[in-house]
Amino acid sequence: MDKQQLALIIPAAGSGERLGGDVPKPYLELAGKTILEHSLLKFKQVSGLGEVIVSTSAKYVTQTEEMLATIFPDVSCFVVKGGKERQDSIRNALEKISGKTGLVAVHDAVRPFITVQDIEKCVEKASLWGGAVLAIKAKDTIKISGTDMEIVQTPDRKNLWHAQTPQIFWAALIREAYDYAEKYNIYGSDDSSLVEQVGGKVVLVQGSDINFKITYPLDLKIAEYLAKSEKL
Ligand code: C5P
């Protein structure tokens, strides 16, 4: 199969309220670069990358445009305004994807420790099946709670995974999924759940826990430690 052109969508429009502080998470610095720059630099090394679209808040548009022009001088790049939910931010970005794109990768700005090898594993599986999601096995037992905090179910841990990003799909499939979600006002906590709704086949690709999402203050402390020990 010919290698398909890959478009990258990075949602970076979150307010970062769980972390506190004025600067949104993607624009905090780790080892002299913003978290968003670290994430973008990982994708720069992936072959077949033809387009990059970042969704961000109005205040950060210019900074992000300059960042993209520096990192990707030869790739077509756009910055779009984010929306209320992550899904709205990605919806806005999807509108910029060109007809030349075969595969669309969505990657959270705040997962700067993604490895190039894991991105490429995911690209390969998505190209074959239609969708691929990097994921790690649940290490804790997961409980499903009821309204009074009572446990209503304990699913078998061996089938439980934590979905990460990148989540990569055939371009036509993710467009169909987002159109369907918009039409029926469906919101999912990840992109794969929308693709699953339209019957798309999505496979899990074993990732690594280093690809954690910087969400809470402790995550930022760990990220700072890792960045200092040159793990970025
Ligand atoms: O807050 P959450 O963990 O869902 O954020 C995941 C990613 O989605 C972050 O990179 C964040 O900046 C982005 N996001 C966005 N638009 C929103 C909410 C989150 O682009 N409305």
Side-chain angles (χ1 to χ4, degrees):
M1 195 192 298
D2 280 349
K3 200 149 192 159
Q4 294 171 292
Q5 178 167 301
L6 178 72
L8 168 66
I9 291 180
I10 302 244
S15 63
E17 61 193 25
R18 286 176 287 185
L19 204 56
D22 295 336
V23 180
K25 285 179 287 180
Y27 297 92
L28 294 174
E29 286 202 1
L30 285 180
K33 289 191 183 73
T34 62
I35 291 173
L36 173 59
E37 280 173 290
H38 284 295
S39 299
L40 289 167
L41 285 164
K42 296 293 174 53
F43 278 86
K44 186 182 166 72
Q45 300 168 61
V46 173
S47 64
L49 187 69
E51 290 170 66
V52 177
I53 302 125
V54 177
S55 306
T56 193
S57 48
K59 192 173 161 196
Y60 288 90
V61 168
T62 309
Q63 180 181 341
T64 309
E65 281 171 348
E66 286 167 5
M67 191 188 289
L68 289 174
T70 307
I71 300 178
F72 299 105
D74 305 320
V75 173
S76 159
C77 295
F78 295 98
V79 176
V80 298
K81 297 258 177 68
K84 191 165 178 292
E85 303 291 335
R86 177 185 182 277
Q87 188 174 317
D88 303 315
S89 300
I90 293 164
R91 162 92 263 170
N92 295 349
L94 268 175
E95 281 165 18
K96 291 284 180 193
I97 302 272
S98 80
K100 283 185 284 180
T101 287
L103 289 172
V104 177
V106 181
H107 185 67
D108 292 325
V110 290
R111 293 184 188 269
F113 297 100
I114 181 65
T115 64
V116 179
Q117 292 89 325
D118 279 348
I119 300 169
E120 286 183 337
K121 265 191 330 195
C122 220
V123 167
E124 194 187 310
K125 294 288 182 194
S127 177
L128 205 60
W129 296 107
V133 168
L134 212 59
I136 53 169
K137 291 206 96 153
K139 55 182 181 189
D140 298 313
T141 297
I142 310 278
K143 304 287 184 187
I144 297 179
S145 61
T147 44
D148 294 324
M149 284 289 280
E150 80 281 20
I151 294 168
V152 291
Q153 206 190 331
T154 304
D156 189 348
R157 193 173 62 189
K158 73 176 188 307
N159 300 320
L160 293 177
W161 295 77
H162 293 277
Q164 303 178 333
T165 67
Q167 301 200 347
I168 309 182
F169 310 94
W170 292 338
L173 184 57
I174 188 171
R175 275 205 188 93
E176 181 191 347
Y178 267 77
D179 286 348
Y180 184 88
E182 190 169 31
K183 185 167 175 198
Y184 295 102
N185 198 27
I186 297 166
Y187 275 84
S189 54
D190 72 349
D191 311 288
S192 175
S193 61
L194 304 181
V195 171
E196 292 155 41
Q197 291 259 1
V198 294
K201 176 157 179 167
V202 186
V203 297
L204 294 167
V205 177
Q206 172 89 52
S208 146
D209 48 12
I210 192 102
N211 184 32
F212 63 97
K213 185 166 71 165
I214 300 174
T215 307
Y216 298 111
L218 177 62
D219 300 320
L220 188 61
K221 286 244 171 333
I222 296 170
E224 279 162 352
Y225 173 81
L226 290 172
K228 270 198 208 109
S229 16
E230 295 181 328
K231 295 269 166 40
L232 258 177

